[in-house]
Amino acid sequence: MPAPTLPSLTAAKAAPSRTDVLVVGVSGTSEAPVPVGFPATVTKTIEKGLGVSPAELLRTSGAGSAVGTTTVLVPGKGLRLIAVGVGEEEPTPARLRKAAGSALRAVAGLGDNGLSVAVSLSSTEPETAQAVAEGALLGSYRYQPISATTAPHPVATISVVTEGKREADQAVACGVSVATAVAQAREWINLPPNLLYPETFADAAKEHVRDTRISVEVLDEKALAKAGYGGILAVGGGSSRLPRLVRYSYSPRGAKAHIALVGKGITFDSGGLNLKPGEGMYTMKCDMSGAAAVLAATRAIAELGLRVKVTAYASMAENIPSDTSYRPSDVLTMYGGTTVENGNCDAEGRLVMADALARATEDSPDLLVDVATLTGACMIALGSDIAGVMGNDDDVVDQVLAASESAGEPMWPLPIPEGAASELKSSVADLKSTGPRMGGALWAAAFLQEFVAEVPWAHLDIAGPAYRESKVDGHLGVGGTGAAVSTLVALAQSYAS
Ligand code: BES
Ligand code: MN
Ligand code: ZN
């Protein structure tokens, strides 16, 4: 499983002379458009060649300033000019990320290959420069169809114009690490479940950190049984492709904190014996998005050399019905000894997460963050674009929300009601895995809370934003999005200094 190919991206003082496509910005209104990032040389060429000012060219081209709207200002075979809307007002990092993503999609739509693109959006502050770099790379990411014919690469190189400001150049490099990690998560999510299953996912996870300072340990089904991972084994037991637990450890000198991460890695969720209907099952290769996020983010954190210790767990299993499947009403003994009555085989995520959370608390981290495509109920609550954040510690939840804000990933807090555990009573075990149907995201979180002991913990339910069935949106394409990767890196950054 090779890593996805992205264009190479660097910071540049000005648009390089061999540029094929120059992306500039437009803000203001359609009556009074305001040019953003037009280099003086380009302004001169426009004024000489076309006899108009950039603002006039934008107005007559009808270039819209709505974020991500693209207009080809100068077509042809020479230097092509594309304007992208960055919003009427002062552009924020989130708007610039989206705009740069849309612009690179428009470049790919030109029909040429191997283009050199310069993106000039007045992004000379570190935050905006990083956002432009991320957006440009992620707007260029494509999942390559599995086919005998190889797909072309429209964009070869991208220069982000920063006017040579040192902090901005460093931020661009950081953006490259983050976007590369997001693209890797997307790639794992997009791979079909007949190719990416627990064993191959674990192999890919090993390969992913071969050239890094991250050490990796993989527990196979025998090791899982020996250590008592009853949740992962039950969920994964219906498939001939047996489960795995991957553990990454990044332990730099001078670490300021220890963060533990846990990700849900169901490589395909059929619902098990509580089989999903066909429509609901089709996208369930995305059910390993949490695992993809924690693995990819850990690599980016190490690559950036952040002074924070990270221990990441990815629980990998395939949820499939067969005569070896676990059943509704089975009682499972989880890692650490808690017993659980299984309420529904389609509520498999919380079982594989509970085992890994219980294991992660043994490392005594300063905080614990888990990421999972856990509940359809979270999508009912917050829609398809916003992740739910729950936890046992308001500070950790606030820190995650702050990180998501700077990463440009929409997230929103949901409560775990006082006494929620009483909804999970069982007459045959310590706990039941499922609670009432209404508020399903909260009971799932309340279940997980039973396994984190006193460790400050936040839970990210990314069932909505992990996967897009249709409609591209700036840096977000159709398919896996890599949701939570940038938030986790930003969170680690907030603990590293
Ligand atoms: N993987 C699903 C949740 C999901 C749904 C993710 C849609 C992404 C898109 C999860 O395992 C699941 O099936 N949850 C059930 C739980 C229920 C049986 C208590 C759900 O949400 O319906
Ligand atoms: Mn399920
Ligand atoms: Zn699931």
Side-chain angles (χ1 to χ4, degrees):
M1 267 173 230
T5 31
L6 290 176
S8 69
L9 184 146
T10 48
K13 209 166 170 163
S17 54
R18 52 179 168 68
T19 299
D20 298 309
V21 184
L22 176 65
V23 173
V24 291
V26 49
S27 70
T29 61
S30 51
E31 297 81 50
V34 178
V36 173
F38 279 65
T41 50
V42 169
T43 300
K44 221 177 269 165
T45 312
I46 292 172
E47 285 171 349
K48 269 206 181 141
L50 305 172
V52 294
S53 67
E56 193 58 20
L57 176 62
L58 287 171
R59 210 179 51 76
T60 51
S61 320
S65 68
V67 180
T69 302
T70 56
T71 311
V72 179
L73 294 180
V74 179
K77 285 286 152 199
L79 173 67
R80 279 154 282 179
L81 201 57
I82 292 184
V84 63
V86 296
E88 280 189 23
E89 330 255 297
E90 182 73 15
T92 61
R95 287 183 191 146
L96 285 168
R97 189 180 288 103
K98 182 169 164 175
S102 294
L104 267 291
R105 265 178 221 294
V107 172
L110 292 172
D112 267 329
N113 292 319
L115 294 169
S116 298
V117 182
V119 185
S120 177
L121 294 173
S122 283
S123 47
T124 51
E125 294 302 315
E127 293 78 15
T128 52
Q130 178 173 343
V132 168
E134 289 175 7
L137 280 177
L138 293 172
S140 308
Y141 169 80
R142 295 288 178 285
Y143 177 66
Q144 298 297 344
I146 296 167
S147 167
T149 50
T150 49
H153 295 284
V155 177
T157 63
I158 302 172
S159 306
V160 172
V161 178
T162 58
E163 296 170 8
K165 298 207 174 144
R166 211 162 64 91
E167 274 85 25
D169 289 2
Q170 284 166 352
V172 165
C174 174
V176 172
S177 287
V178 171
T180 303
V182 174
Q184 177 63 73
R186 289 182 180 182
E187 187 76 3
W188 280 330
I189 298 162
N190 290 334
L191 281 162
N194 62 322
L195 300 183
L196 186 114
Y197 49 90
E199 184 183 353
T200 57
F201 192 9
D203 286 346
K206 267 192 192 165
E207 175 64 25
H208 183 55
V209 293
R210 211 166 40 95
D211 55 348
T212 70
R213 290 172 52 202
I214 298 168
S215 62
V216 55
E217 172 191 66
V218 177
L219 301 189
D220 64 8
E221 68 277 3
K222 285 182 219 87
L224 289 168
K226 205 167 160 197
Y229 288 93
I232 298 173
L233 286 164
V235 170
S239 173
S240 60
R241 290 155 167 184
L242 291 164
R244 297 285 184 272
L245 178 66
V246 173
R247 180 179 193 262
Y248 276 1
S249 173
Y250 167 62
S251 197
R253 244 194 297 275
K256 300 270 195 289
H258 178 190
I259 305 182
L261 304 175
V262 172
K264 173 177 172 181
I266 300 296
T267 58
F268 189 71
D269 182 12
S270 72
L273 287 175
N274 294 86
L275 198 64
K276 286 181 185 291
E279 328 82 78
M281 201 191 291
Y282 183 72
T283 58
M284 280 302 127
K285 68 173 181 179
C286 82
D287 215 16
M288 34 57 70
S289 297
V294 304
L295 296 174
T298 304
R299 185 184 152 125
I301 290 163
E303 205 169 278
L304 293 168
L306 300 184
R307 283 173 186 253
V308 47
K309 177 173 167 164
V310 179
T311 313
Y313 292 86
S315 283
M316 301 172 178
E318 185 175 50
N319 188 23
I320 292 276
S322 78
D323 69 336
T324 57
S325 289
Y326 76 134
R327 290 152 288 257
S329 81
D330 274 0
V331 174
L332 317 172
T333 302
M334 312 294 285
Y335 185 86
T338 304
T339 59
V340 172
E341 178 191 0
N342 177 39
N344 186 318
C345 298
D346 198 12
E348 82 300 335
R350 60 198 75 185
L351 298 173
V352 304
M353 295 299 283
D355 269 356
L357 288 167
R359 172 65 188 87
T361 59
E362 288 182 353
D363 298 327
S364 309
D366 299 308
L367 76 159
L368 171 55
V369 178
D370 82 69
V371 186
T373 47
L374 204 61
T375 66
C378 195
M379 303 172 71
I380 303 289
L382 297 175
S384 295
D385 295 335
I386 303 176
V389 185
M390 287 144 273
N392 63 357
D393 184 302
D394 289 346
D395 288 341
V396 177
V397 169
D398 287 345
Q399 286 153 7
V400 168
L401 291 170
S404 81
E405 174 85 36
S406 76
E409 297 195 287
M411 299 196 183
W412 202 257
L414 292 175
I416 302 178
E418 197 72 29
S422 66
E423 302 286 355
L424 302 169
K425 280 207 184 103
S426 168
S427 54
V428 295
D430 296 329
L431 283 171
K432 191 171 173 179
S433 63
T434 50
R437 196 171 74 86
M438 296 293 174
L442 321 182
W443 317 127
F447 179 81
L448 297 183
Q449 185 168 16
E450 295 298 306
F451 296 87
V452 302
E454 302 297 305
V455 177
W457 159 75
H459 158 61
L460 279 56
D461 193 331
I462 59 164
Y467 196 83
R468 296 174 71 87
E469 286 190 60
S470 59
K471 238 176 50 223
V472 301
D473 184 20
H475 58 298
L476 301 170
V478 169
T481 60
V485 171
S486 349
T487 296
L488 293 176
V489 177
L491 181 69
Q493 264 162 343
S494 74
Y495 270 87
S497 50

